[in-house]
């Protein structure tokens, strides 16, 4: 792609593809320029240097992850929605390892754009948990726990941490079912009272 077709969107998509192929650290301005067939200074018409690009990658990744999870939970509720969320989350990390790492390494999580994209993802996850009738704080703790579980699984898998010849998808399914059984038991205990 030459200069004529270059815009902010194409630069960002090329950076995301480069991150997935070469790893997050492989996204440099020189590598991106080579990928796009332009000279490095041409990128500055579309991004504000490497820090700006990394912020844009984090926002883009959060938006893409939210979109993928929303597709996965469409028409589902309760445990089916949570299970679908878990599968889609790990699948996103598998398909987009560099972009996923960019989400986890957002340069400034307090940046307004990063925060807005993160809040949209959080809102979706809270909606997925609506069927459990959790109070806001309990729902936030539950999202935090689910995210920790899924990120831990995805990170271990990405780094080759599952060396045994077992089906990772079966492990993930069992992990999600166990989490859901615990969540449902916790909700029932709270409803029963002291």
């Amino acid at each position: 792609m030459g200069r004529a077709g270059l815009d902010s969107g194409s630069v960002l998509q090329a950076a995301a593809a480069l991150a997935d192929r070469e790893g997050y650290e492989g996204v440099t301005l020189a590598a991106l320029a080579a990928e796009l067939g332009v000279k490095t200074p041409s990128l500055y018409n579309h991004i504000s240097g490497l820090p700006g690009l990394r912020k844009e990658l984090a926002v883009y990744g959060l938006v893409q992850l939210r979109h993928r999870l929303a597709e996965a939970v469409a028409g589902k509720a309760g445990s089916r929605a949570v299970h679908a969320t878990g599968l889609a989350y790990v699948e996103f990390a598998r398909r987009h390892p560099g972009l996923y790492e960019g989400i986890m390494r957002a340069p400034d999580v307090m940046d307004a754009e990063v925060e807005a994209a993160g809040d949209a993802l959080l809102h979706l996850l809270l909606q997925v948990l609506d069927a459990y009738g959790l109070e806001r704080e309990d729902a936030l703790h539950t999202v935090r726990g689910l995210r920790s579980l899924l990120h831990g699984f995805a990170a271990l898998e990405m780094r080759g941490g599952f060396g045994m010849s077992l089906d990772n998808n079966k492990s993930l399914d069992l992990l999600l079912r166990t989490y859901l059984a615990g969540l449902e038991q916790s909700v029932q205990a709270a409803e029963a009272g002291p």
Side-chain angles (χ1 to χ4, degrees), residues 65-176:
L65 177 57
R66 187 203 173 283
H67 178 70
R68 178 62 199 106
L69 297 184
E71 285 178 343
V73 302
K76 298 176 181 74
S79 63
R80 287 185 63 232
V82 176
H83 193 269
T85 296
L87 296 178
Y89 185 103
V90 172
E91 187 59 28
F92 181 87
R94 287 172 176 166
R95 289 179 185 243
H96 304 288
L99 191 55
Y100 180 74
E101 188 175 351
I103 293 170
M104 295 299 117
R105 294 176 56 181
D108 180 4
V109 295
M110 300 308 287
D111 175 88
E113 288 181 73
V114 174
E115 190 174 10
D119 285 349
L121 179 58
L122 174 61
H123 181 70
L124 174 66
L125 294 172
L126 290 171
Q127 284 180 315
V128 167
L129 293 171
D130 272 351
Y132 292 95
L134 300 168
E135 296 293 326
R136 171 90 174 165
E137 186 173 328
D138 289 340
L140 289 170
H141 286 300
T142 302
V143 166
R144 185 180 276 180
L146 181 61
R147 180 177 172 227
S148 298
L149 184 88
L150 297 172
H151 173 69
F153 189 94
L156 282 168
E157 186 177 72
M158 286 167 59
R159 287 169 177 74
F162 298 135
M164 300 172 88
S165 60
L166 291 170
D167 184 342
N168 288 0
N169 289 326
K170 285 185 180 180
S171 296
L172 178 59
D173 181 63
L174 177 60
L175 181 64
L176 287 168

